[in-house]
Amino acid sequence: MDAVVGRSWPAGLTRIPYWIYQDPDVLALEQKRIFEGSVWNFLCLEAELPNIGDYRTTFVGAMPVVVVRADDGEIAAFENRCAHRGALICLDDGGSAKDFQCVYHSWRYDLRGNLRSIAFARGVNGKGGMPADFDMSCHGPRKLRVTTFCGMVFGSLSADAPEFETWLGPDIVNRVRRVLGNRRLEVIGRFTQALPNNWKLYFENVRDTYHASLLHLFFATFRITRLSSGGGVLVSETGEHHASATLAPPQGKDTTYQGLRSEKESFRLADPSLLGMHDEFHDDIQLQILSIFPGFILQQVHNALAVRQIVPRGVDATDLNWTYLGFADDAPELRAHRLKQNNLVGPAGYVSMEDGAVGGFVQRGIAAATDETSVVEMGGSGAETQETRATEASVRGFWKAYRMHMAL
């Protein structure tokens, strides 16, 4: 697979070769160097594991993972793979268990993924069974380091991954805390969206603030986000993480979008309350999208809150796991408003249904363009924080981080 490293990549961050979205060897290398490398992967929410034995199944790239509240009350995570013949240990999305038993041959694991018993280990009627010197402590799924932050659970397979908040940096930490704070999260909805494209195309799209008011007609028409509104893009020093912010639109007529596809001033909402905003963040930011490398997104669109997890499913297939959020102390009217406003985002959302299609448009468009490159020059050639959203700085930041982890 290291032959991939020898492929041509133009200097700088403004040209991205299309083979990077098409080569199965690249995908295999990403699993080892990125998802299993010195990063922290989003696993689930603490609120999903309230009691000892509660668990969720999730993914670290392509690797299936079990996350569980262990006997001592701590959260543990381990590879969802039986040490015997490789079958999934846990088949359900979530639930509660005293231990885990592989359905194939009944190898049993405790809540930390330690192998505890093997069916017929001593054979039957004095015949067969496991060797006398077989040591169960030497066999088991890989275990992850686990950390929690603002009610979220992250895991890493690398002993070299830095402490989580150090890895994020203070600016990104503050942007996460701005939305989630120390409040107790509640899940108010979840689903999985299948995307017909490489996982990196979606992560690029999330970090591309420049497209939002052009592709998403609803955004510009109802002035949820326009580049003429205030705001900017924060990019971490390594490029790994980003946060974009859109301020409330300026008063008066905005002629910036005249002549563009996204200018539809004549449209009106039958229920304008859909776009109302409860002042729970006490600032002028009405939309924030934040990403944590390699596959996590925190969304605040007015009062519609969600986390999204990117799961690669192949060179041209991706699952996007959405979890809609509320807080335990939400007033009834705010909770009802969140549920209504969540119709803005998601695969059939007024805003983001286009994001579910446009990555596929790119994947299909580059089918015969393996040796060509994309152009990522909006806002310059660097990956620095900028006080504008008319930039691709955070996209370039992703590729800066990607090339560092992939040694490309």
Side-chain angles (χ1 to χ4, degrees):
M1 287 190 294
D2 277 350
V4 171
V5 178
R7 298 194 67 161
S8 173
W9 194 309
L13 301 172
T14 64
R15 297 293 185 272
I16 312 303
Y18 289 132
W19 57 260
I20 203 70
Y21 311 102
Q22 300 170 321
D23 192 328
D25 286 345
V26 170
L27 187 66
L29 202 59
E30 288 167 348
Q31 179 65 32
K32 295 298 183 184
R33 293 188 178 177
I34 294 180
F35 294 101
E36 297 178 30
S38 56
V39 303
W40 289 94
N41 299 271
F42 173 74
L43 300 179
C44 67
L45 302 173
E46 285 189 87
E48 298 176 284
L49 311 172
N51 304 307
I52 290 173
D54 290 347
Y55 68 89
R56 292 288 301 173
T57 55
T58 184
F59 290 88
V60 167
M63 176 191 289
V65 171
V66 179
V67 194
V68 60
R69 182 77 65 175
D71 292 310
D72 58 2
E74 294 185 351
I75 296 175
F78 53 89
E79 187 177 12
N80 191 4
R81 175 188 58 83
C82 182
H84 179 214
R85 300 279 291 279
L88 292 173
I89 297 170
C90 187
L91 303 179
D92 297 324
D93 292 336
S96 186
K98 293 182 179 180
D99 55 26
F100 299 100
Q101 185 169 282
C102 177
V103 68
Y104 199 178
H105 297 94
S106 295
W107 285 34
R108 186 179 63 85
Y109 301 85
D110 66 17
L111 296 180
R112 287 191 171 275
N114 299 306
L115 180 60
R116 291 305 187 198
S117 68
I118 296 173
F120 307 124
R122 297 184 179 179
V124 178
N125 296 324
K127 298 179 181 179
M130 301 296 290
D133 61 353
F134 185 82
D135 185 352
M136 287 192 292
S137 67
C138 297
H139 298 271
R142 287 176 284 181
K143 298 176 182 178
L144 284 71
R145 295 170 60 195
V146 172
T147 192
T148 59
F149 178 66
C150 287
M152 302 179 293
V153 182
F154 288 79
S156 179
L157 281 153
S158 172
D160 297 325
E163 291 302 310
F164 186 74
E165 291 189 35
T166 301
W167 183 60
L168 291 187
D171 293 333
I172 298 295
V173 164
N174 289 338
R175 289 295 191 92
V176 175
R177 285 183 172 147
R178 172 191 165 268
V179 177
L180 301 182
N182 294 315
R183 302 168 71 184
R184 186 157 60 89
L185 295 174
E186 289 186 347
V187 175
I188 61 175
R190 71 166 97 245
F191 54 86
T192 297
Q193 179 181 5
L195 303 175
N197 52 264
N198 188 275
W199 71 273
K200 297 184 292 297
L201 287 170
Y202 184 79
F203 207 45
E204 278 186 302
N205 178 76
V206 163
R207 297 170 71 117
D208 173 7
T209 54
Y210 157 49
H211 85 278
S213 57
L214 298 171
L215 175 66
H216 304 307
L217 300 188
F218 196 95
F219 258 167
T221 300
F222 295 102
R223 301 181 70 177
I224 299 173
T225 179
R226 292 185 173 195
L227 294 183
S228 49
S229 300
V233 176
L234 170 67
V235 186
S236 67
E237 184 176 351
T238 62
E240 290 169 304
H241 323 302
H242 106 290
S244 65
T246 302
L247 303 182
Q251 299 298 311
K253 187 175 180 63
D254 179 7
T255 61
T256 309
Y257 283 72
Q258 284 186 348
L260 293 179
R261 169 178 170 270
S262 47
E263 175 69 355
K264 300 291 181 183
E265 290 283 6
S266 62
F267 287 174
R268 296 291 183 271
L269 284 174
D271 180 8
S273 70
L274 175 73
L275 298 183
M277 186 165 180
H278 291 237
D279 184 22
E280 63 179 319
F281 304 111
H282 310 299
D283 56 28
D284 203 29
I285 297 175
Q286 67 175 21
L287 188 153
Q288 176 179 286
I289 301 295
L290 181 149
S291 71
I292 296 175
F293 188 89
F296 170 83
I297 301 100
L298 171 63
Q299 157 213 306
Q300 176 240 324
V301 180
H302 288 204
N303 301 104
L305 310 180
V307 293
R308 313 175 200 168
Q309 177 194 33
I310 296 173
V311 181
R313 292 299 193 189
V315 168
D316 57 1
T318 300
D319 278 354
L320 185 62
N321 293 330
W322 295 71
T323 306
Y324 288 143
L325 303 178
F327 297 108
D329 60 0
D330 281 347
E333 59 272 19
L334 177 54
R335 177 59 60 86
H337 181 63
R338 288 198 206 283
L339 291 169
K340 177 192 290 186
Q341 207 162 67
N342 280 330
N343 288 295
L344 287 171
V345 283
Y350 296 135
V351 174
S352 58
M353 63 179 177
E354 297 96 341
D355 288 330
V358 74
F361 296 163
V362 175
Q363 197 77 44
R364 289 157 59 188
I366 65 175
T370 301
D371 297 324
E372 302 297 325
T373 62
S374 64
V375 178
V376 190
E377 289 192 45
M378 181 64 67
S381 60
E384 66 284 343
T385 294
Q386 296 189 19
E387 294 183 359
T388 177
R389 289 171 293 114
T391 180
E392 292 166 316
S394 52
V395 178
R396 291 188 290 270
F398 167 71
W399 289 110
K400 175 182 177 181
Y402 179 90
R403 294 182 70 174
M404 175 184 69
H405 284 277
M406 290 284 285
L408 286 173

